[in-house]
């Protein structure tokens, strides 16, 4: 038996144990995990400093280093996320529906854990904590495989969580980390169909596509984010400027950051120069189509490749369109089904956009940065699902469950 198969076997045993735990015991363990993170802040930051130093040495761009960075505030946020998960309703055992058949069978549909979840992700050490907490709340064991950029951070984070589980009288194998970051081991994990029930990838569009193409384990596909903000002719332009700057600049490396702005032609001459100045003041490179460049000559010409690119950086591209129909057509062609927003005071335009845009989350007059499990009230999130089967949008504990039917009879046989 290989090391990975042994981890899988341990995870299955842990999943069986977790499936029997009551809500109170799970919540006590989550509280211990949250407290342990804060108590181990210095150790976690020391390990993270090694990862940051290696990232800088390897020439990783600054926006991506921000994803990797852990600070006392971010560790407190991770701890608070676990406390919020603790306070959520326990999805396990929830009765979805029930009825009696004509033959007298009593049928109920009940929420149960998925079992063993595999998480494969890039340089986001917070995913280690979010995934562990949500999987645990939903009664699942988790096998984690983070990227090499965050390996030192992930090791200390997983050790901290495992120790807290052990202190809570629960098997630490509920949370396991693969510390071999080779591509070969990642490939073997993606083929571990005898042990892993579902695999959830998190990272760049390229990374997720690689996992989808190579995995044999069933996948819940999470979000690359080529997110758009459409500024309609009926927009409050001050509101639009504030929202776009927030959506692009606050954390440009995350999947819910805005990558494209689509402008109605009727407001482009008035709005684009102000938008360009504000973006450049925040060190954002602005690319645009020929119409945008005609209004602001300093705009960098956009290529066809730009429209489908998730930059994860201080770059944005601007498209000018004739109206809302063209905006919707353009966005649906190039988006990644993640998060899209319209800025308008026109109710009809808002409803048309909300109805016709194909994405997991669609906003009116709000930043795409709100697509987040914590912001949606789920505590943490395990990812933003951009597919349509099983789950869509921010995935909390409820999305990490499935159902089974419990049928109570009294000697019935089928005639």
């Amino acid at each position: 038996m290989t090391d990975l198969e042994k981890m899988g076997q341990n995870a299955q045993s842990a999943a069986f144990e977790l499936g029997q735990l009551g809500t109170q015991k799970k919540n006590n363990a989550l509280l211990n995990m949250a407290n342990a993170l804060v108590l181990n802040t210095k150790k976690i930051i020391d390990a993270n400093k090694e990862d940051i130093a290696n990232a800088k040495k390897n020439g990783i761009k600054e926006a991506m280093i921000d994803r990797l960075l852990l600070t006392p505030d971010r560790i407190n946020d991770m701890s608070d996320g676990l406390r919020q998960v603790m306070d959520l309703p326990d999805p396990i055992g929830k009765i979805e529906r029930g009825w009696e058949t004509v033959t007298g069978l009593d049928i109920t549909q009940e929420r149960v854990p998925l079992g063993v979840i595999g998480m494969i992700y890039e340089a986001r050490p917070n995913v280690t904590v979010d995934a562990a907490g949500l999987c645990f709340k939903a009664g699942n064991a988790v096998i984690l495989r983070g990227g090499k950029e965050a390996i030192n951070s992930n090791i200390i984070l997983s050790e901290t969580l495992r120790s807290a589980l052990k202190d809570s009288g629960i098997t630490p194998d509920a949370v396991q980390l693969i510390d071999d970051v080779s591509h070969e081991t990642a490939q073997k994990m993606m083929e571990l169909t005898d042990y892993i029930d579902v695999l959830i990838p998190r990272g760049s569009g390229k990374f997720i596509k690689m996992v989808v193409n190579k995995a044999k384990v069933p996948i819940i596909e999470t979000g690359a984010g080529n997110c758009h903000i459409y500024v309609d002719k009926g927009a409050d332009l001050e509101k639009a400027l504030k929202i776009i700057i927030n959506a692009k600049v606050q954390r440009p490396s995350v999947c819910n950051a805005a990558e494209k702005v689509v402008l109605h032609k009727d407001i482009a001459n008035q709005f684009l120069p102000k938008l360009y100045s504000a973006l450049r003041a925040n060190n954002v490179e602005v690319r645009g189509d020929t119409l945008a460049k005609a209004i602001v000559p300093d705009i960098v010409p956009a290529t066809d490749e730009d429209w489908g690119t998730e930059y994860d950086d201080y770059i944005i591209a601007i498209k000018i369109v004739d109206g809302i129909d063209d905006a919707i057509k353009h966005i649906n062609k190039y988006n990644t089904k993640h998060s899209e927003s319209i800025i308008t005071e026109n109710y009809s335009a808002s409803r048309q956009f909300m109805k016709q845009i194909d994405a997991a989350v669609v906003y009116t007059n709000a930043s795409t940065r709100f697509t987040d499990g914590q912001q949606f009230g789920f505590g943490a999130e395990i990812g933003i699902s951009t597919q349509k089967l099983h789950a869509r949008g921010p995935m909390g504990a409820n999305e990490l469950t499935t159902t089974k039917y419990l049928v109570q009879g009294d000697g019935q046989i089928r005639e």
Side-chain angles (χ1 to χ4, degrees):
M1 180 176 286
T2 66
D3 289 344
L4 266 185
E5 289 172 326
K6 181 64 176 172
M7 290 181 77
Q9 192 176 73
N10 291 343
Q12 285 185 332
S13 297
F16 180 81
E17 179 183 325
L18 298 185
Q20 318 311 308
L21 292 181
T23 300
Q24 191 57 54
K25 188 154 188 177
K26 286 194 288 188
N27 287 346
N28 289 341
L30 283 164
L31 180 59
N32 289 339
M33 292 159 76
N35 291 339
L37 288 174
V38 176
L39 288 171
N40 285 280
T41 293
K42 185 179 184 305
K43 284 184 182 178
I44 294 168
I45 287 178
D46 286 345
N48 183 249
K49 284 178 179 176
E50 292 184 53
D51 291 329
I52 296 294
N54 290 334
K56 289 179 177 178
K57 186 169 64 177
N58 292 328
I60 292 177
K61 59 187 179 183
E62 198 62 37
M64 299 307 290
I65 288 176
D66 177 65
R67 280 189 172 195
L68 183 60
L69 177 66
L70 292 178
T71 64
D73 283 345
R74 289 187 179 182
I75 293 170
N76 281 326
D77 286 345
M78 291 191 293
S79 176
D80 288 344
L82 289 178
R83 294 171 201 274
Q84 290 177 36
V85 170
M86 178 186 73
D87 290 337
L88 293 173
D90 190 340
I92 302 305
K94 176 186 174 186
I95 303 299
E96 293 291 332
R97 53 183 173 153
W99 67 98
E100 185 177 318
T101 69
V102 293
T103 57
L105 294 173
D106 183 21
I107 302 177
T108 56
Q109 185 184 26
E110 181 177 305
R111 289 256 151 223
V112 296
L114 285 168
V116 177
I117 295 176
M119 280 295 300
I120 183 165
Y121 50 105
E122 294 184 296
R124 295 282 295 276
N126 65 294
V127 175
T128 300
V129 176
D130 291 349
L134 283 167
C135 287
F136 180 79
K137 179 76 176 193
N140 302 292
V142 65
I143 297 176
L144 303 160
R145 195 277 186 184
K148 64 180 183 296
E149 299 87 357
I151 185 59
N152 295 296
S153 306
N154 288 337
I155 287 172
I156 187 63
L157 287 169
S158 63
E159 287 176 352
T160 299
L161 298 176
R162 284 170 59 85
S163 179
L165 285 170
K166 187 176 181 181
D167 291 344
S168 304
I170 296 169
T171 174
D173 287 336
V175 177
Q176 298 181 85
L177 176 77
I178 298 172
D179 57 12
D180 179 349
V181 293
S182 68
H183 294 299
E184 293 77 16
T185 299
Q187 181 61 49
K188 289 175 183 176
M189 178 193 183
M190 291 186 270
E191 297 172 357
L192 216 60
T193 53
D194 288 343
Y195 301 101
I196 297 178
D197 293 289
V198 64
L199 187 65
I200 302 175
R202 280 189 68 174
S204 66
K206 181 180 178 182
F207 175 78
I208 291 168
K209 186 175 181 180
M210 179 275 292
V211 175
V212 169
N213 289 337
K214 291 188 175 183
K216 294 181 179 178
V217 176
I219 284 178
I220 298 175
E221 189 172 344
T222 66
N226 187 29
C227 304
H228 299 71
I229 295 178
Y230 167 57
V231 185
D232 187 48
K233 66 179 179 180
D236 177 327
L237 298 183
E238 288 187 16
K239 192 181 290 183
L241 188 63
K242 181 180 176 182
I243 289 170
I244 293 168
I245 295 301
N246 173 261
K248 176 72 260 184
V249 174
Q250 189 190 47
R251 289 194 72 187
S253 64
V254 294
C255 62
N256 57 21
E259 304 286 26
K260 308 294 181 297
V261 173
V262 181
L263 300 180
H264 192 291
K265 66 177 183 180
D266 289 359
I267 53 91
N269 281 296
Q270 177 186 358
F271 182 62
L272 183 54
K274 294 178 183 177
L275 176 62
Y276 177 81
S277 295
L279 287 166
R280 292 301 299 135
N282 283 278
N283 299 313
V284 177
E285 178 184 317
V286 183
R287 302 176 185 179
D289 63 7
T290 53
L291 293 175
K293 189 167 176 59
I295 296 170
V296 180
D298 288 340
I299 283 177
V300 177
T303 66
D304 288 342
E305 186 180 358
D306 276 300
W307 305 122
T309 297
E310 179 186 14
Y311 299 119
D312 289 330
D313 204 349
Y314 288 92
I315 304 170
I316 202 164
I318 295 172
K319 175 80 173 176
I320 296 176
V321 295
D322 288 337
I324 189 170
D325 291 336
D326 288 337
I328 291 169
K329 183 178 179 180
H330 177 83
I331 292 169
N332 282 339
K333 180 177 180 180
Y334 290 105
N335 77 350
T336 51
K337 318 303 181 191
H338 194 294
S339 301
E340 310 297 339
S341 183
I342 181 174
I343 315 301
T344 188
E345 301 301 311
N346 183 299
Y347 179 78
S348 295
S350 165
R351 298 317 300 168
Q352 180 184 352
F353 190 88
M354 300 276 271
K355 183 177 181 180
Q356 294 182 2
I357 286 293
D358 183 12
V361 185
V362 186
Y363 296 91
T364 294
N365 294 330
S367 170
T368 56
R369 287 282 291 117
F370 285 104
T371 303
D372 176 85
Q374 197 164 32
Q375 294 293 321
F376 274 38
F378 301 160
E381 72 182 33
I382 203 159
I384 311 293
S385 172
T386 54
Q387 63 185 41
K388 297 181 182 180
L389 297 179
H390 175 66
R392 199 177 193 197
M395 295 172 59
N398 195 66
E399 285 69 39
L400 298 179
T401 64
T402 184
T403 63
K404 69 179 178 183
Y405 291 99
L406 305 178
V407 184
Q408 180 67 49
D410 189 28
Q412 289 92 334
I413 61 172
R414 184 169 176 174
E415 298 295 339

